[in-house]
Amino acid sequence: MRRVTILGSTGSIGRSTVAVLTEAPDFEFAVEALVGGDNVGLLIEQARALRPSVAVIASEKHLDALRTGLAGTGIQAQAGHSAVIDAAARPSDWVMSAITGAAGLKPTLAAVARGAKVALANKECLVCAGSLFMDAARTHGATLLPVDSEHNAIFQVLGRPQDVEKLILTASGGPFRTHSLESMRKASAAEALDHPNWAMGQKISIDSATMMNKGLELIEAAYLFGVPEERIEIVVHPQSIVHSLVSYRDGSVLAQLGAPDMRIPIAHALAWPDRIQTTAPRLDLAAIGNLSFEAPDLTRFPALEVARGAMKMGQGAPTALNAANEVAVRAFLDGQIAFLDIAALVTETLEALVAHGLIAAGAEPRTFEDVHTLDETARRVAVEHRQRFSS
């Protein structure tokens, strides 16, 4: 019997986690806590099905609706930021960290602090606070189980770290892989959200379209696996069948393959070190026919180099990078800036922070409070610079 908590249960990864739990015929579990964001109706539905000890909605305005929806079930209903962190700190064996963005850092840390197995779907924990977060996991004996398909693939095929030559992250190329710059300049939010292979939330879908997502994953991989960024390669693989590869010094290259379905890496993390049955589609390589690979176009997707440059500069820069990107993506979705302005706004924000001495090469935040302060500063600067752009 595994006792689980799902942070972000109403989001894309959270819904897939619920699906794995309910579909696995040979997996015994109990749910300690479910934490949702704003979709109170879905949280009520999930709670009634999974019977957690507590259900938490991040948006306090929905607390009355949550209490009404769970009346008579015996499930505690709570709301607000503190309640989210308290839920993560409750006793459970396994925690899915799937709250999107920097907002997921504190709740995930609460799970890490009690030495839980943490299934990490929130890459921002490592992008924003990589060294601090990894130190906290080691100090408290927490086990980090990567859920991003790329990092989960590496985790599955990573044997002797000392023999690794390089890590190879694959990228689908997103909806604009073959589009011209002019076409991308005019791209609408609906077009950017229309990913060819994956069904994801809005933020990650836009990050995939700009390929910032792959830049963030590069930073995450560097911290998670202890590999310097210059030994992490990115290749575009449109079919999204090979999820990542590890190249060893003897010339061997090991890859993990699977259908583009998040239930597969979630199930791996949930059952680790064992495996469980899923209803995810099985690969038919003969039907697929061809697997292709190409180098990313850094002219059309400058976010990749922006992210790599931030990693080279130091952890303070990735923290600012993530904050500025969240502001830029939101501005694009709200129709305030154009698609190509996303990477441009992030770049301008980083340059302004460097010019004012707020981030510097090699300088890392020493505490999580430092991370929070830098995150807030970068968001403020990004909002100020956003005024120069218009959609």
Side-chain angles (χ1 to χ4, degrees):
M1 175 72 72
R2 178 157 291 181
R3 194 156 193 86
V4 308
T5 287
I6 306 176
L7 306 177
S9 68
T10 57
S12 175
I13 296 297
R15 293 196 302 272
S16 292
T17 304
V18 170
V20 170
L21 288 171
T22 55
E23 293 170 2
D26 56 346
F27 187 70
E28 294 185 1
F29 69 94
V31 178
E32 178 63 30
L34 293 177
V35 175
D38 198 54
N39 191 340
V40 67
L42 179 57
L43 180 60
I44 291 169
E45 179 184 324
Q46 292 174 336
R48 283 186 166 274
L50 296 177
R51 312 295 294 187
S53 298
V54 61
V56 179
I57 191 79
S59 179
E60 294 188 41
K61 66 182 181 182
H62 294 308
L63 179 56
D64 288 344
L66 182 62
R67 284 174 172 162
T68 300
L70 297 180
T73 64
I75 301 169
Q76 298 179 50
Q78 299 177 4
H81 181 64
S82 295
V84 171
I85 296 172
D86 289 344
R90 292 175 70 95
S92 61
D93 308 306
W94 185 92
V95 177
M96 169 56 77
S97 169
I99 296 175
T100 303
L105 179 57
K106 284 188 176 180
T108 307
L109 278 171
V112 165
R114 59 182 178 79
K117 291 182 177 69
V118 178
L120 199 58
N122 174 298
K123 61 178 64 65
E124 290 82 3
C125 287
L126 289 169
V127 174
C128 294
S131 294
L132 291 169
F133 189 85
M134 293 301 293
D135 286 347
R138 284 188 288 268
T139 297
H140 297 290
T143 301
L144 301 182
L145 301 169
V147 173
D148 273 350
S149 62
E150 296 81 3
H151 303 86
N152 179 265
I154 291 170
F155 185 78
Q156 291 199 46
V157 300
L158 188 62
R160 289 167 55 87
Q162 65 270 31
D163 291 330
V164 171
E165 187 173 78
K166 64 179 177 180
L167 306 180
I168 305 170
L169 301 175
T170 56
S172 68
F176 302 135
R177 181 177 64 87
T178 60
H179 285 222
S180 67
L181 269 173
E182 185 59 30
S183 172
M184 293 168 71
R185 189 170 288 113
K186 300 175 182 176
S188 67
E191 290 171 320
L193 290 167
D194 188 21
H195 196 282
N197 299 336
W198 296 93
M200 305 179 292
Q202 285 193 333
K203 167 63 166 54
I204 193 171
S205 294
I206 300 301
D207 282 348
S208 181
T210 62
M211 291 194 71
M212 179 63 83
N213 192 48
K214 209 54 51 178
L216 298 177
E217 288 174 3
L218 181 151
I219 296 170
E220 181 183 8
Y223 284 116
L224 193 58
F225 302 113
V227 175
E229 60 82 20
E230 64 268 19
R231 288 170 50 202
I232 303 175
E233 181 182 339
I234 294 172
V235 296
V236 175
H237 169 50
Q239 295 83 12
S240 296
I241 298 299
V242 177
H243 296 296
S244 275
L245 311 92
V246 177
S247 176
Y248 290 92
R249 63 180 181 169
D250 62 1
S252 298
V253 179
L254 303 185
Q256 186 266 341
L257 285 70
D261 190 314
M262 283 306 299
R263 288 175 295 176
I264 297 173
I266 290 169
H268 177 266
L270 181 63
W272 183 87
D274 300 319
R275 292 185 185 267
I276 57 176
Q277 186 78 17
T278 76
T279 59
R282 271 41 178 177
L283 276 187
D284 184 340
L285 291 175
I288 293 168
N290 294 292
L291 301 177
S292 60
F293 303 88
E294 61 194 59
D297 184 339
L298 301 181
T299 301
R300 290 183 299 123
F301 299 101
L304 285 172
E305 285 300 278
V306 175
R308 193 180 286 276
M311 186 62 191
K312 288 179 181 178
M313 180 175 290
Q315 189 190 321
T319 304
L321 170 90
N322 180 75
N325 183 61
E326 288 190 14
V327 171
V329 169
R330 186 70 262 164
F332 170 66
L333 289 171
D334 290 344
Q336 296 171 334
I337 64 173
F339 178 75
L340 292 181
D341 292 337
I342 296 174
L345 177 54
V346 173
T347 300
E348 281 202 10
T349 301
L350 291 176
E351 289 174 347
L353 290 168
V354 170
H356 288 88
L358 296 172
I359 54 175
E364 296 193 6
R366 296 186 178 184
T367 66
F368 287 105
E369 289 71 24
D370 291 344
V371 170
H372 179 68
T373 299
L374 180 54
D375 177 88
E376 287 192 329
T377 300
R379 289 174 192 275
R380 175 176 51 77
V381 173
V383 170
E384 291 170 357
H385 281 258
R386 185 191 65 198
Q387 310 305 322
R388 295 199 329 96
F389 298 86
S390 76
S391 59

